Amino acid sequence: MKKNKRGAIRAKALLKEIGCDSIVDIPMDILVSGLGAFLVEEPLSNSDGKIIRGNKKNIIKINSEIPYKGKKRFTIAHELGHLLLHNKLELEEHSDNDLTLNWFKSSIEQMKRGVQEWEANDFASELLMPSDLFYKKQKGKKFSPELIRNLSSFFNVSITSVAFKYFELGDCPLCLIHSHNSKVSYWKRPDDYPHFIIDRTKSKLPDDSVALEYFEKGKIYHKEHSKQPIWKSTWFKLNDWEDDRDYNFFEYCIITSSCNTVLSMVWEE
Ligand SMILES: [Zn+2]
């Protein structure tokens, strides 16, 4: 499947139009009004953001109840993606929630869900974390939870968004496993990764995973201890001729208690 890059290309063009390497210093409401829309922040039920397109004006609404600034910015950028990429006939009033804003799901289910959400997420990711700048910021740095947190605060986006971007562009090969209510919902590994993840989709997490520690014991590691050593066999297939003790794998969990989800980043040193 050829990767659809329409969203990222449009975001790159926009950055060029406004003459900035990144939008980290530009307030989102100013960006939105500069692009011919109004930004309204108000409580929305069952939706994180929406775009209403009229003949004379466009309104982007954002749910004021979203607790994280990074998620608000991503949602606004996603709606801007619809504004700039999708014409009115396709989309008159469009509402987004966790399903459409979920970068992971939308990239995996690109074919199923239609391309518009994927393009809007791709646009948002590139607008908020321009690839060239992201690559430079992580280049030559050892992968660690701290690096991910630093990138998240530099780009002013959620740690989850950084995780997906790092998966695509980062120096260190990284596997991502998303779980919900003690079960794996989906996972991805780099195409040329030398280890095979045991497919546990819809089944229970491995007993010795850090993710399961959260679900079973409510354990959330403090920042300094968020890099946890694990066995290769925790997530990967261990071949007969291999010894678990010869590998140095780690797991860093991003926990979203409100949704009871965990995103595990797994890497080898
Ligand atoms: Zn959308």
Side-chain angles (χ1 to χ4, degrees):
M1 183 172 72
K2 194 168 170 280
K3 202 173 162 195
N4 169 356
K5 296 208 171 121
R6 225 180 131 222
I9 289 168
R10 187 63 189 90
K12 281 189 178 122
L14 175 61
L15 288 166
K16 221 172 180 179
E17 283 159 32
I18 59 179
C20 295
D21 287 340
S22 85
I23 59 157
V24 287
D25 296 323
I26 305 175
M28 290 307 268
D29 55 333
I30 291 180
L31 186 67
V32 169
S33 63
L35 294 169
F38 286 100
L39 182 65
V40 177
E41 201 171 322
E42 64 181 29
L44 300 175
S45 50
N46 304 320
S47 153
D48 288 330
K50 55 170 74 173
I51 180 163
I52 300 148
R53 317 186 70 169
N55 287 326
K56 295 214 172 103
K57 61 181 175 185
N58 300 301
I59 299 169
I60 289 176
K61 287 191 177 180
I62 182 86
N63 188 357
S64 53
E65 311 291 302
I66 297 174
Y68 310 106
K69 199 165 172 235
K71 187 173 180 187
K72 270 188 191 164
R73 281 166 51 83
F74 192 90
T75 309
I76 296 167
H78 174 105
E79 303 306 339
L80 275 180
H82 284 312
L83 180 72
L84 298 178
L85 288 163
H86 306 133
N87 65 40
K88 230 182 95 187
L89 284 174
E90 293 170 85
L91 205 72
E92 282 204 308
E93 177 169 341
H94 172 77
S95 199
D96 285 297
N97 52 34
D98 270 337
L99 221 59
T100 52
L101 288 164
N102 190 313
W103 178 244
F104 205 1
K105 268 194 180 156
S106 75
S107 57
I108 283 173
E109 299 185 9
Q110 185 187 153
M111 301 307 282
K112 280 190 235 165
R113 216 181 284 284
V115 293
Q116 290 196 353
E117 298 318 317
W118 197 85
E119 289 175 348
N121 284 333
D122 193 34
F123 174 90
S125 173
E126 185 62 31
L127 182 66
L128 298 171
M129 297 173 281
S131 295
D132 292 346
L133 187 60
F134 188 93
Y135 181 75
K136 268 188 231 156
K137 285 273 162 198
Q138 63 79 43
K139 194 172 178 275
K141 291 177 186 153
K142 194 178 168 197
F143 181 84
S144 68
E146 199 191 359
L147 175 63
I148 294 294
R149 286 192 289 263
N150 289 344
L151 289 167
S152 153
S153 64
F154 176 81
F155 288 104
N156 204 351
V157 294
S158 70
I159 290 182
T160 309
S161 302
V162 170
F164 296 130
K165 193 80 181 184
Y166 192 95
F167 176 89
E168 300 284 342
L169 288 179
D171 283 347
C172 171
L174 181 71
C175 295
L176 298 174
I177 301 139
H178 185 274
S179 47
H180 175 59
N181 291 342
S182 308
K183 284 185 178 164
V184 175
S185 6
Y186 29 87
W187 54 269
K188 58 202 268 181
R189 60 170 203 131
D191 286 338
D192 50 358
Y193 205 62
H195 308 290
F196 287 91
I197 293 185
I198 300 166
D199 186 11
R200 291 187 178 80
T201 311
K202 306 235 161 64
S203 42
K204 206 178 160 226
L205 292 162
D207 284 334
D208 51 356
S209 63
V210 182
L212 192 67
E213 250 189 302
Y214 165 73
F215 288 114
E216 292 201 327
K217 298 178 199 150
K219 177 83 191 166
I220 299 177
Y221 286 93
H222 197 258
K223 267 183 189 169
E224 296 94 83
H225 304 291
S226 51
K227 171 184 168 182
Q228 285 289 312
I230 52 165
W231 298 112
K232 179 187 173 184
S233 62
T234 302
W235 289 106
F236 302 95
K237 186 174 176 243
L238 189 74
N239 294 301
D240 296 343
W241 61 88
E242 293 176 327
D243 186 332
D244 245 348
R245 289 168 297 189
D246 293 338
Y247 297 92
N248 276 317
F249 277 93
F250 296 90
E251 181 174 348
Y252 165 39
C253 286
I254 301 166
I255 292 159
T256 310
S257 319
S258 55
C259 310
N260 209 28
T261 60
V262 174
L263 180 69
S264 300
M265 298 188 204
V266 175
W267 73 103
E268 188 184 12
E269 282 181 3

